[in-house]
Amino acid sequence: EQWYQRRVRAVWSNQITANSMSALGRALAFHSTLEGVNLGSNALGNKGVECLKEGLLSSRSIERLVLASCNITNEGAVVMAEILGDHTTLIHLDLRENNISLAG
C-alpha cells in the first residue's frame, strides 16, 4: 500500500483542466520514480492530452495512465496512439467513458 501511494499519483476529479496540463506535462519529464498517474474525471479534453504528450514521451517511468471520463474525443485518441508508438514503459492506458469512436 505504501509503495502504491509513493509511486502513483491520483488527482481524480480535482477540476484539473487543459490549461493546467502544461505544467503537469513538464513535470512528468523530470519525475523518474512516478509509475502511474490517475487523471480521471477531469475536463482535460484533447488539448490536455496534447499538453501531456511531450512529458509522457520524455518519461520512462510511467507505466499506468488513467484518462477515464476526461472529455477526450477521436482527436485526443490519435495523440495517445502517437504517444503509445514511442513510449516503451506505458503498459496500461484507461480511456473509458470518453467520446472515442472506432475512428479514434
Side-chain angles (χ1 to χ4, degrees), residues 9 17-18 20 23 26 51 53-54 59 61 65 73 82 91:
R9 292 294 169 244
T17 64
S20 310
R26 287 190 304 273
C51 290
K53 183 177 180 178
E54 192 172 324
S59 169
S61 64
L65 179 62
T73 66
E82 293 169 0
I91 57 174

Side-chain angles (χ1 to χ4, degrees), residues 22-77:
S22 293
L24 181 58
R26 287 190 304 273
L28 289 177
F30 298 104
H31 203 302
S32 62
T33 59
L34 188 63
E35 294 177 0
V37 180
N38 184 339
L39 295 165
S41 293
N42 287 293
L44 308 182
N46 299 328
K47 182 179 175 187
V49 172
E50 186 66 44
C51 290
L52 281 176
K53 183 177 180 178
E54 192 172 324
L56 284 171
L57 290 175
S58 298
S59 169
R60 292 298 172 221
S61 64
I62 301 293
E63 296 177 356
R64 294 175 300 281
L65 179 62
V66 176
L67 297 173
S69 301
C70 287
N71 300 325
I72 299 169
T73 66
N74 291 346
E75 182 182 334

